Amino acid sequence: MATVQKVQTTLSDKLASLPAKPGCYIYKNDKGEVLYVGKAVNLHNRVRSYFQKGAQLHPRTQRLVASVRDMEWIITDTEVEALILECTLIKKYRPFYNIRLRDDKSYPYVCVTTSEIYPRVFFTRRPHLKPDGNRYFGPYTDVRAVRDTLRTVRRIFGVQSCTHRFTGAEKMRPCLYYHLGQCLGPCTGELPPEEYRKAVDQVMMLFEGRQDEILERMNKSMEEAAENLQFERAAAMRDRIKAIQRLAQRQKVFTVEQVDQDIVGIALEGGDAVAHVFFIRAGRLVGRDNFVLDSGDDESPAEILSQFLKQYYEGAAAIPSEILLPEEPADREAILTWLGEKRGKPVRLSVPQRGEKKRLVSMVVENAQTSLEQLKKRGATGRSRSENAVLELGDALDMEVPPVRIECFDISNLQGGYTVASMTVFENGTPAKSQYRHFRIKTVEGQDDFASMREVIGRRLARAKQGDERFSDRPDLMIIDGGKGQLSAALEAVHAAEEEGLTVVSLAKREEEIFVPDRPLPIRLDKRSQALHLVQHIRDEAHRFAITYHRRLRGKGSLKSELDNVPGIGQVRRRELIKHFGSVAQLRDATLEDIAAAPSMNATAAQRLYEHLHGEDIEHKPEPIPS
């Protein structure tokens, strides 16, 4: 079990007391901010090597060592435990000097709840990283294709599309999908679990890439039905066969081996790095994606590849049996052991030297190189670019240290209604979208941007003092969208919270002026400077995020008022309709069948709501939906 070494008196004392054991070390600056997280098989030898006189260090590493004022270490039992801990700490602190995945992506998976009596099949972006008894298929990168596939799969095999967890004891009124023959109807209480499970097994075979087996079975069933003069059943089987064949054509056969593989390619140039991953499942290409990495120009390709593998698979729900790589990563054996433990089965890390696998890896590397060239042309890569913008901004604001973490706040309202605020976060000059936050203004009536800003800043700082982990990271710089008035309101909240040393500025949109406390004149950054582009990007993100939330609230509010006077639409149905459709426009565009299929609705209520929404536009009332 890991143990944390407590603070010694000085840095030299800590260096002298380093244990010769595996673990992680954490470098901090004079503010206590984490600069770097590393792992070592032998903490004593590894950490001391940074601080030896005459050590040949890269200039960037020299800057790191010069900034270190404190450090901690965590002892682990094994190197694999240290690797896992390193991934967790890098994800938590996002240190400036570590190699990091810049992309904070959540991938779509298909979940089959095999732990339930009547399994459900649905789209998810939050797979359980620990075993939960269910099956996950993916990752996929084309969200629309995944949703289209799910709709087709439900129609073909009749698995339920609702979210209810049936146990067989329920007996409910079937929905429209049952009457249309697109659901086997576990809600009826008459469907044996074994029969339903056969359909689910076929769904899983489809996602495993075993279409040929399914088609063979269906062709046999179709021929038997035709021989027995069951022509309607044979025609239905024929239509299902065609639908499955169309699905199979979407997935390109990539390799004759029926195996699950990830193929990784890395492209490097200076301090820029791009990684590509192709996802092969049962020999078919199901998706691919690329990642931009923040790295320094002193890291070796093997180290960058190692860090990518650790950070990418740390959050992956599915690990294939084989991962093809362009070269051997650093910490290969530790990574291999760790991946095997996560998967529950052995994993192969292969660096092919010839043949088909070598060709595939070369193709993925070529894709990564093409992406890197395109990104460089657009100026979208380069940790150095974002670093320079942060350094420029720190210099312009006379800050002692660069603003590694920047938070920006914006207020959005419409004639005083639905006043909301947004908090966007940039770390090391790039968006940290997982840390964006929304606020609904609670204490201000009417349109008062100053009071609203005072409330939001006060709530943000109060949440941090209360120990809320979502607000635990202290910003180096707060940017307020607005002029002197908004800045004064924010400063009042900062002083009330007794937050000393927090740098707060405001950005006025008209002249792109930065107002700084205790300065009579605003700062005007050079229009060609990277610092100006950075603050504009931050401000625009805050505005976009606030507007998006504001529109969503307005849509839900107008939908609620639209439903208030519809006969048969009570509080429960109103809440379910708001959740299901989201806005009046989407509800009005929905067909009568879509409304009837919504949660808690029936044919009669759907008919009344449809007529209410369309009014005199309905020339001929549709026939009631069969209940």
Side-chain angles (χ1 to χ4, degrees):
M1 185 175 177
T3 56
V4 180
Q5 174 68 33
K6 299 299 181 182
V7 176
Q8 302 288 333
T9 52
T10 65
L11 187 59
S12 58
D13 290 336
K14 293 185 176 184
L15 289 171
S17 60
L18 280 162
K21 295 183 178 180
C24 287
Y25 53 95
I26 305 168
Y27 292 156
K28 298 182 178 181
N29 62 12
D30 52 358
K31 286 186 167 185
E33 298 168 336
V34 176
L35 298 174
Y36 183 78
V37 172
K39 78 165 187 66
V41 178
N42 187 314
L43 286 168
H44 182 272
N45 294 341
R46 176 61 175 161
V47 177
R48 288 173 65 87
S49 67
Y50 283 94
F51 298 90
Q52 290 177 352
K53 291 184 178 179
Q56 298 297 316
L57 301 176
H58 189 276
R60 187 165 173 273
T61 308
Q62 291 177 5
R63 292 197 299 271
L64 164 64
V65 173
S67 303
V68 175
R69 295 292 180 270
D70 192 13
M71 72 173 178
E72 295 177 358
W73 60 85
I74 303 175
I75 300 171
T76 60
D77 292 332
T78 65
E79 183 183 4
V80 175
E81 287 185 8
L83 183 148
I84 297 170
L85 180 61
E86 179 192 27
C87 292
T88 303
L89 294 174
I90 290 174
K91 188 174 182 180
K92 177 179 179 181
Y93 294 116
R94 299 186 63 82
F96 187 76
Y97 286 93
N98 277 98
I99 301 170
R100 301 187 318 278
L101 287 186
R102 189 184 302 176
D103 313 67
D104 188 12
K105 300 179 180 178
S106 58
Y107 289 96
Y109 289 80
V110 172
C111 176
V112 181
T113 57
T114 50
S115 60
E116 299 174 2
I117 297 175
Y118 292 92
R120 295 168 293 129
V121 183
F122 59 88
F123 171 101
T124 181
R125 287 186 182 272
R126 294 180 174 83
H128 286 268
L129 302 183
K130 296 181 180 180
D132 61 352
N134 300 325
R135 289 286 305 276
Y136 291 92
F137 299 93
Y140 302 101
T141 53
D142 190 335
V143 177
R144 179 176 294 178
V146 174
R147 294 191 185 278
D148 288 346
T149 300
L150 280 175
R151 279 193 289 268
T152 305
V153 163
R154 288 166 179 158
R155 187 176 69 249
I156 295 172
F157 298 105
V159 293
Q160 69 181 78
S161 58
C162 56
T163 59
H164 190 82
R165 292 174 173 82
F166 294 107
T167 63
E170 306 90 340
K171 190 167 184 179
M172 304 165 58
R173 176 185 293 178
C175 69
L176 189 62
Y177 291 112
Y178 176 78
H179 295 292
L180 292 174
Q182 296 181 15
C183 180
L184 294 174
C187 56
T188 61
E190 300 173 358
L191 177 66
E194 299 79 14
E195 183 179 341
Y196 186 80
R197 179 70 71 156
K198 289 179 182 178
V200 173
D201 289 341
Q202 288 186 313
V203 171
M204 290 193 291
M205 288 173 64
L206 186 66
F207 282 111
E208 288 170 355
R210 296 160 58 189
Q211 294 93 337
D212 294 340
E213 294 181 40
I214 301 174
L215 291 172
E216 184 179 349
R217 293 181 188 179
M218 286 189 166
N219 275 311
K220 186 176 180 180
S221 298
M222 180 180 68
E223 292 171 0
E224 290 177 354
E227 288 175 0
N228 295 328
L229 305 182
Q230 297 174 338
F231 299 116
E232 289 186 6
R233 182 169 178 269
M237 295 298 295
R238 177 202 61 201
D239 294 340
R240 291 182 180 182
I241 289 170
K242 289 182 177 179
I244 292 175
Q245 288 173 337
R246 285 194 296 270
L247 281 179
Q249 289 172 359
R250 295 181 187 176
Q251 297 180 337
K252 178 182 177 182
V253 176
F254 227 57
T255 172
V256 294
E257 297 182 33
Q258 297 296 303
V259 295
D260 292 349
Q261 296 172 323
D262 282 354
I263 308 175
V264 179
I266 298 281
L268 307 174
E269 185 176 335
D272 300 324
V274 170
H276 260 246
V277 183
F278 277 38
F279 311 117
I280 311 296
R281 298 297 179 263
R284 295 178 182 272
L285 177 64
V286 299
R288 60 182 179 178
D289 213 342
N290 64 292
F291 304 82
V292 180
L293 292 93
D294 284 335
S295 64
D297 53 5
D298 60 331
E299 281 91 3
S300 66
E303 179 61 31
I304 292 175
L305 180 59
S306 172
Q307 288 294 334
F308 171 74
L309 293 175
K310 289 185 283 188
Q311 294 184 48
Y312 172 71
Y313 287 108
E314 192 270 336
I319 298 175
S321 58
E322 184 176 36
I323 302 171
L324 303 183
L325 305 172
E327 63 179 282
E328 294 286 357
D331 306 321
R332 181 186 186 279
E333 293 304 319
I335 292 173
L336 199 59
T337 304
W338 169 62
L339 289 174
E341 291 177 356
K342 279 181 68 68
R343 183 171 182 260
K345 297 179 182 178
V347 176
R348 294 192 303 275
L349 293 180
S350 303
V351 183
Q353 302 300 318
R354 62 183 68 85
E356 181 68 13
K357 291 184 178 180
K358 174 64 175 176
R359 184 189 68 80
L360 292 175
V361 172
S362 298
M363 183 189 65
V364 177
V365 170
E366 185 179 350
N367 274 266
Q369 290 171 341
T370 302
S371 292
L372 179 59
E373 292 170 3
Q374 291 173 345
L375 291 170
K376 287 182 76 67
K377 287 179 181 178
R378 299 203 311 262
T381 68
R383 176 168 175 169
S384 58
R385 187 181 183 89
S386 58
E387 281 181 357
N388 289 337
V390 171
L391 293 171
E392 275 187 22
L393 182 59
D395 291 340
L397 299 178
D398 292 332
M399 299 179 68
E400 294 182 2
V401 294
V404 174
R405 178 183 173 89
I406 303 174
E407 295 180 359
C408 185
F409 297 83
D410 182 37
I411 304 294
S412 176
N413 60 57
L414 179 65
Q415 297 176 349
Y418 301 107
T419 304
V420 301
S422 66
M423 180 185 96
T424 52
V425 180
F426 276 56
E427 291 184 337
N428 303 313
T430 58
K433 293 190 176 183
S434 62
Q435 301 185 53
Y436 286 14
R437 298 288 178 261
H438 283 134
F439 300 85
R440 284 194 71 171
I441 302 304
K442 298 178 179 179
T443 63
V444 181
E445 294 184 4
Q447 186 171 349
D448 189 339
D449 287 356
F450 301 159
S452 299
M453 185 63 72
R454 189 182 305 113
E455 177 189 326
V456 169
I457 300 298
R459 284 167 58 186
R460 185 263 178 267
L461 298 174
R463 297 286 284 276
K465 287 190 173 182
Q466 292 165 5
D468 190 332
E469 292 186 358
R470 296 173 299 172
F471 297 91
S472 59
D473 292 334
R474 191 175 191 271
D476 299 304
L477 173 65
M478 274 188 176
I479 297 179
I480 309 302
D481 185 28
K484 290 184 177 180
Q486 284 85 351
L487 176 60
S488 297
L491 289 172
E492 289 177 17
V494 171
H495 295 324
E498 299 180 348
E499 286 285 348
E500 300 298 331
L502 181 59
T503 303
V504 185
V505 301
S506 67
L507 178 64
K509 187 171 185 179
R510 179 176 298 177
E511 300 294 337
E512 303 291 10
E513 297 174 329
I514 299 178
F515 291 95
V516 180
D518 303 324
R519 280 197 185 187
L521 297 176
I523 297 174
R524 292 190 178 182
L525 299 174
D526 189 306
K527 292 185 178 180
R528 295 169 296 179
S529 71
Q530 295 179 15
L532 177 61
H533 296 158
L534 174 60
V535 294
Q536 287 173 330
H537 186 189
I538 295 170
R539 188 265 320 284
D540 292 344
E541 271 289 274
H543 185 65
R544 177 195 64 78
F545 199 54
I547 288 293
T548 302
Y549 184 48
H550 189 248
R551 286 173 178 165
R552 189 160 75 239
L553 288 180
R554 289 205 329 258
K556 289 184 178 181
S558 59
L559 177 55
K560 183 177 180 180
S561 62
E562 186 81 29
L563 302 176
D564 281 343
N565 299 318
V566 182
I569 305 297
Q571 183 177 354
V572 173
R573 280 180 174 157
R574 187 164 60 241
R575 183 174 64 248
E576 292 297 329
L577 287 166
I578 291 171
K579 186 187 301 183
H580 187 74
F581 290 101
S583 70
V584 175
Q586 291 184 11
L587 181 58
R588 188 170 279 116
D589 290 341
T591 64
L592 179 58
E593 290 78 9
D594 289 338
I595 297 174
S600 80
M601 292 296 288
N602 58 32
T604 303
Q607 184 79 31
R608 290 173 179 170
L609 177 56
Y610 190 85
E611 292 175 2
H612 174 82
L613 290 172
H614 294 271
E616 297 178 356
D617 293 337
I618 304 177
E619 296 179 3
H620 303 286
K621 293 182 180 179
E623 292 296 324
I625 301 172
S627 58

